[in-house]
Amino acid sequence: MESIVGRSIVALVAGFIISALLGKSLIPALRRLKAGQSIKEDGPTWHMAKQGTPTMGGIMFIAATAIVVLVLNIQDIMAGELTAVVVLLFAGVFGVIGFLDDYAKVKKKENTGLSASQKFLLQLAAALCFLALLRSMGILSPNLYVPFFGVELHLPWVVYLIFAALVITGSVNAVNITDGIDGLAAGVTLPVCAFFACSFGYAYLHWQRQESLGMTLFAAALCGALAGFLVHNFYPAKVFMGDTGSLFLGGAVCGMAFALDMPLILIPVGIIYIAETLSDIIQIFYFKATHGKRIFRMAPLHHHLELGGWSEKKLVFTFAGITLVFCVLAYFGVMGRFSAL
């Protein structure tokens, strides 16, 4: 017990320090490379003041997480326990897709990078490879556990894999949509990482599953790294995470959910991601159906509330607070499965 708690605290603190320190050198480097964010003209008018703010800052928490995970898990990795490494690589692939998108935007000096179809196909390929790896490692099962109800739905592998791939691509893009104001995506994902750190820690102690130790450290390291990133990204942001960071975070969150073998837990812990995405979808469908009318002042939801007078700080604290409450509730849903085993 003391070992996993102590190592988790080390991972958390190390992730924070490395990420915060990386920002000191990365932000000036991004400025020198003229890697500035292009702001959408149809967004809130006051966001135009952010034009040129360095993007791709997600590199700092990606690097910090990778360093901590690889260093603290070195013994388990050498012994052949690679779950945390697989999840790290999976999230990293999404980070690379985001980097390609960011690079295209910076090069073209506009807010369009890879096409939607290009991103979807790359994300789908990454999802299928990841799921195949987890299955071959014996971590993933086609038994879909329903949190809080204590029941499992036994699905054929083909059906499960199709479902899982769609969940991953949808969830990753939902995190990307949430990254719209200073500190929001990082602030919301921080309690999600804390939830997974606690859940994996509990699974390690009660299931005695060795891979859960590495995943506990992964979640704790990412939690600390996001806190370090917020030193530079909280309003007023000195740097944006870009698609490099938001797609990595989406991959990491999904990777942790599937490594825990509970993808449906993404519904409560990702409540803000879901609300943001649904507001976008509803706005588009309603706009088309009514030939120009809108339900929201602007989609996604954070822009609607901004135009209603909410400050960026209020939005971040409120959305992160809501996520924290749902993460606490979700923890009890996870415990239901542990107690049944």
Side-chain angles (χ1 to χ4, degrees):
M1 176 68 176
E2 292 181 2
S3 173
I4 190 171
V5 172
R7 291 176 69 180
S8 297
I9 292 173
V10 170
L12 180 77
V13 174
F16 173 82
I17 293 173
I18 295 171
S19 182
L21 289 179
L22 278 174
K24 296 289 186 180
S25 55
L26 179 63
I27 294 173
L30 290 172
R31 287 202 187 100
R32 287 194 298 271
L33 293 171
K34 298 182 179 179
Q37 177 73 46
S38 296
I39 304 298
K40 290 182 179 179
E41 293 182 1
D42 58 351
T45 55
W46 53 89
H47 278 209
M48 294 307 295
K50 303 180 182 186
Q51 185 86 14
T53 301
T55 187
M56 295 188 278
I59 292 171
M60 67 180 73
F61 60 75
I62 294 172
T65 303
I67 291 168
V68 174
V69 168
L70 295 176
V71 171
L72 293 187
N73 276 326
I74 188 64
Q75 289 185 339
D76 287 344
I77 293 170
M78 296 299 290
E81 174 41 56
L82 302 174
T83 306
V85 175
V86 169
V87 173
L88 177 63
L89 289 174
F90 171 67
V93 169
F94 279 94
V96 170
I97 295 171
F99 176 82
L100 293 174
D101 195 37
D102 284 333
Y103 179 78
K105 291 174 184 176
V106 169
K107 189 175 181 180
K108 291 190 288 187
K109 300 297 182 183
E110 57 185 53
N111 202 43
T112 53
L114 298 176
S115 68
S117 59
Q118 287 174 324
K119 284 192 283 189
F120 175 75
L121 290 174
L122 288 170
Q123 291 170 1
L124 185 62
L128 291 172
C129 290
F130 172 68
L131 292 167
L133 265 176
L134 286 188
R135 181 185 178 186
S136 68
M137 294 168 71
I139 294 171
L140 195 65
S141 75
N143 303 324
L144 195 61
Y145 180 75
V146 182
F148 305 104
F149 293 96
V151 297
E152 287 187 346
L153 304 177
H154 303 280
L155 303 177
W157 266 112
V158 173
V159 175
Y160 182 88
L161 290 175
I162 294 172
F163 160 79
L166 292 176
V167 166
I168 290 172
T169 53
S171 299
V172 168
N173 287 298
V175 177
N176 183 239
I177 289 171
T178 305
D179 181 34
I181 61 173
D182 298 359
L184 185 59
V188 167
T189 307
L190 200 151
V192 175
C193 292
F195 159 79
F196 278 114
C198 293
S199 298
F200 278 114
Y202 196 94
Y204 174 72
L205 293 172
H206 291 267
W207 276 4
Q208 301 300 312
R209 292 177 66 176
Q210 189 62 30
E211 70 272 7
S212 292
L213 173 59
M215 288 307 303
T216 303
L217 300 181
F218 176 93
L222 182 53
C223 187
L226 284 174
F229 174 71
L230 280 169
V231 170
H232 308 287
N233 179 243
F234 194 67
Y235 183 86
K238 303 178 187 68
V239 67
F240 299 140
M241 69 171 65
D243 285 0
T244 303
S246 62
L247 293 186
F248 174 88
L249 285 185
V253 170
C254 289
M256 290 187 285
F258 280 94
L260 194 62
D261 200 14
M262 292 191 211
L264 290 183
I265 206 67
L266 288 170
I267 296 174
V269 302
I271 189 68
I272 293 299
Y273 308 142
I274 294 170
E276 292 273 58
T277 304
L278 283 178
S279 67
D280 225 14
I281 294 171
I282 292 169
Q283 184 86 321
I284 291 170
F285 275 98
Y286 189 78
F287 184 85
K288 291 181 178 178
T290 59
H291 304 290
K293 293 184 180 179
R294 293 176 171 84
I295 291 180
F296 302 99
R297 301 180 187 95
M298 184 181 292
L301 182 60
H302 58 259
H303 285 329
H304 169 76
L305 294 173
E306 264 193 293
L307 292 175
W310 286 43
S311 68
E312 293 190 42
K313 287 183 179 179
K314 181 179 178 180
L315 275 165
V316 171
F317 283 121
T318 302
F319 281 21
I322 291 170
T323 301
L324 177 61
V325 170
F326 274 84
C327 283
V328 171
L329 294 174
Y331 189 73
F332 292 102
V334 170
M335 292 308 98
R337 186 174 200 184
F338 292 138
S339 63
L341 294 176

